[in-house]
Amino acid sequence: MDAFIEQALGLLGAAGWTLLLCLTSGVAGTAFGFVLGLMQISKNPALRWPAVVYVTVVRGIPVLLLIFFVYFGVPLLLGVNLEPFFTGFVSLALVGAAYTGEIFRGAIQAVPRGQSEAATALGLNAADTMFRVILPQALRIAVPAGTGFLINLVKDSSLIGIIGFVELTRAAKILSNLTLDPLGAFLMAAVIYFFISFAISRVGALLERRLTPQFGARKPRVDDPALTPTGH
Amino acid sequence: MITIQNLHKSFGDLEVLQGIDLQIDPHEVVCVIGPSGSGKSTLLRCVNGLETITSGSIVVDGIDIGASKNNLAAVRREVGMVFQSFNLFPHMTALENVILAPTRVRKLSKSEAVERAEKLLARVGLADKRDSYPAQLSGGQQQRVAIARALAMEPRVMLFDEPTSALDPEIVGEVLDTMRALADEGMTMMVVTHEMGFAREVSDRTVFMDKGQIVEIGAPADLFSRPQHPRTQDFLNKVL
């Protein structure tokens, strides 16, 4: 039993690295993806096309190959060797940017056209129209897809183990070699992955509600006949 | 107040406005009627630059909107617009909808803007709805908030693009009453509408458009009772 707790704690430590990897690459990827999303809807082809090409190409390459390209390509191109963690961070951020870029583009374009027209007619400039009118609505639309993206990111991070970084899946593999109980080790890892994903989807659902004030903090409509007492 | 000269507008090969000339004086209320696809909404949307014009000119309050981007921005500050589909910002309360442009564009302080917004919401009969979100309001209430939002910029001209077309028949009246009160206060208004009763009663002049052209223009008493052009007669026979 003691051995079991020890093993579980070892996996939890590796899960910490998985979380750190996903958190950093998720933030960087989302920031880059936000820029890509804006570029994709730009009227200027010099901004639009590089973003469209980037998103299409990166989404068309298996994540594992992209990791290899970064791991083996960067030393060749820049002459510096990358730490496995940093390789993982860069690879997952590059992939994440392509996916979130597409999510942001779709969400912004899903906001009805009348919204930007109303803002324009009121005299708001392009930046105010985007940041005060369109984006608050687009973010809510983006949350479900964004939640799915983050869950995928957590699972994709298991591929980083292949280049030698000890994240959760690799730790489980090492553990199974020690205990000769691969099923037990991988089951423990799976349970940890599940709880991380579960937490992300709960936070996503919460965020979606928070970003929908007209439904989240619903006040009764005064003129709603169902709420008006009808005599005694 | 608005001078439109030889205005042409094409979408691709389709010329939806074919040489419009129209002059609207200060404090005048002009209603534009006509069949669907006649170009009346496009004409209205050209006046505040929501559509770019293909040729011709539009001058609003002395500002030629086609001359520069600055002019276009200046015209938008002076021209309020109310849409068929309200287009309130759904993530903001009624009050936040009304104060957004005054604080961001006119650079009013928040307290000044709130004071102005509360007066306007009271004027359209919705003082008690200031903290409601659009989804909590009926269509008629949303449209009245939209009118208050446009008025908060203290425009010299108000454009209405079929403001009652998306409303249930029994609540059309509350929006028309708000518009009538605005007309009585001397606002210059250009109204694209299917409400013939409103056009007849409130407008100083009524414009009948068909196939991208102004077919007939005149005092509503004349245009509705003694239409001169056969196309006007035909249209009025169908809708009245």
Side-chain angles (χ1 to χ4, degrees):
Chain A
M1 196 62 206
D2 280 354
F4 174 80
I5 290 172
E6 207 170 294
Q7 291 161 10
L9 284 176
L11 282 189
L12 277 179
W17 283 108
T18 287
L19 274 179
L20 188 66
L21 190 59
C22 293
L23 200 70
T24 50
S25 60
V27 169
T30 303
F32 182 24
F34 177 66
V35 176
L36 281 175
L38 290 180
M39 285 169 72
Q40 283 194 92
I41 54 167
S42 167
K43 287 192 188 82
N44 183 350
L47 289 172
R48 190 174 65 242
W49 281 109
V52 170
V53 168
Y54 177 87
V55 167
T56 313
V57 169
V58 172
R59 291 209 309 175
I61 299 174
V63 178
L64 184 57
L65 295 192
L66 201 97
I67 293 165
F68 287 152
F69 287 137
V70 174
Y71 189 63
F72 297 114
V74 170
L76 274 182
L77 283 174
L78 304 177
V80 285
N81 280 317
L82 293 184
E83 293 288 320
F85 178 86
F86 196 66
T87 303
F89 162 75
V90 170
S91 312
L92 292 178
L94 290 177
V95 176
Y99 282 94
T100 54
E102 196 59 6
I103 291 170
F104 279 122
R105 180 200 61 74
I108 289 169
Q109 288 181 334
V111 176
R113 203 185 147 80
Q115 292 291 308
S116 59
E117 284 188 348
T120 303
L122 283 166
L124 293 174
N125 61 29
D128 277 348
T129 299
M130 181 53 74
F131 286 97
R132 291 175 187 271
V133 175
I134 305 300
L135 276 181
Q137 300 180 56
L139 281 181
R140 193 188 69 77
I141 298 169
V143 166
T147 307
F149 152 73
L150 275 178
I151 289 173
N152 267 326
L153 180 74
V154 170
K155 292 185 292 187
D156 283 347
S157 73
S158 66
L159 296 168
I160 305 299
I162 288 175
I163 54 168
F165 181 70
V166 184
E167 43 64 63
L168 181 51
T169 299
R170 180 143 182 120
K173 179 85 175 72
I174 293 168
L175 184 63
S176 77
N177 288 342
L178 289 174
T179 60
L180 300 178
D181 176 17
L183 220 51
F186 288 129
L187 193 66
M188 274 198 272
V191 168
I192 297 173
Y193 276 118
F194 170 78
F195 278 109
I196 295 174
S197 302
F198 184 71
I200 292 172
S201 45
R202 293 317 303 153
V203 170
L206 207 70
L207 195 64
E208 200 179 341
R209 252 207 323 273
R210 278 291 295 278
L211 288 171
T212 316
Q214 63 270 43
F215 302 119
R218 181 144 211 165
K219 285 177 221 154
R221 255 171 63 179
V222 179
D223 58 354
D224 189 334
L227 297 167
T228 311
T230 49
H232 297 282
Chain B
M1 181 64 78
I2 304 175
T3 305
I4 300 169
Q5 282 179 318
N6 197 24
L7 174 65
H8 289 259
K9 167 69 184 175
S10 301
F11 292 109
D13 290 337
L14 183 69
E15 190 173 33
V16 289
L17 296 177
Q18 305 172 1
I20 302 289
D21 291 287
L22 180 64
Q23 167 105 30
I24 297 177
D25 295 327
H27 312 302
E28 196 179 19
V29 177
V30 171
C31 285
V32 184
I33 61 170
S36 299
S38 58
K40 52 195 193 308
S41 283
T42 305
L43 172 63
L44 196 75
R45 291 162 58 85
C46 284
V47 174
N48 68 349
L50 282 185
E51 304 287 354
T52 55
I53 63 184
T54 306
S55 69
S57 77
I58 300 176
V59 178
V60 180
D61 201 18
I63 311 165
D64 183 345
I65 71 163
S68 72
K69 272 197 158 176
N70 282 343
N71 279 13
L72 181 57
V75 164
R76 283 176 176 153
R77 286 194 292 272
E78 306 306 325
V79 177
M81 183 155 186
V82 175
F83 298 86
Q84 178 178 351
S85 49
F86 327 136
N87 295 346
L88 288 180
F89 306 133
H91 56 299
M92 298 181 187
T93 63
L95 187 82
E96 288 164 349
N97 264 279
V98 179
I99 65 173
L100 178 66
T103 52
R104 300 301 303 170
V105 182
R106 292 265 191 242
K107 308 293 179 198
L108 254 60
S109 72
K110 180 138 189 247
S111 59
E112 286 173 305
V114 168
E115 195 181 329
R116 183 187 286 184
E118 283 175 334
K119 275 187 197 144
L120 284 166
L121 286 173
R123 189 161 139 198
V124 298
L126 294 171
D128 57 330
K129 300 288 185 195
R130 51 167 276 170
D131 296 322
S132 296
Y133 286 92
Q136 297 166 315
L137 300 173
S138 71
Q141 291 169 336
Q142 287 189 54
Q143 193 60 299
R144 285 185 282 152
V145 172
I147 293 172
R149 179 176 70 174
L151 290 175
M153 287 293 285
E154 301 192 323
R156 311 281 306 267
V157 178
M158 283 285 282
L159 308 176
F160 293 86
D161 187 6
E162 302 192 24
T164 59
S165 295
L167 298 175
D168 292 336
E170 71 268 24
I171 50 176
V172 165
E174 66 188 54
V175 172
L176 293 182
D177 286 343
T178 305
M179 291 167 62
R180 194 175 289 120
L182 201 56
D184 290 343
E185 287 163 27
M187 177 62 78
T188 307
M189 289 164 58
M190 188 170 169
V191 185
V192 169
T193 186
H194 292 295
E195 294 291 330
M196 297 303 148
F198 178 83
R200 192 170 198 159
E201 177 204 347
V202 179
S203 68
D204 296 304
R205 282 185 302 157
T206 301
V207 173
F208 172 69
M209 276 184 78
D210 191 24
K211 300 191 177 112
Q213 292 167 331
I214 291 181
V215 176
E216 192 166 345
I217 180 165
D222 295 329
L223 190 124
F224 283 101
S225 311
R226 294 178 292 282
Q228 300 299 308
H229 198 285
R231 264 145 74 187
T232 319
Q233 292 164 3
D234 187 44
F235 176 74
L236 290 175
N237 277 336
K238 281 180 187 148
V239 299
L240 289 181

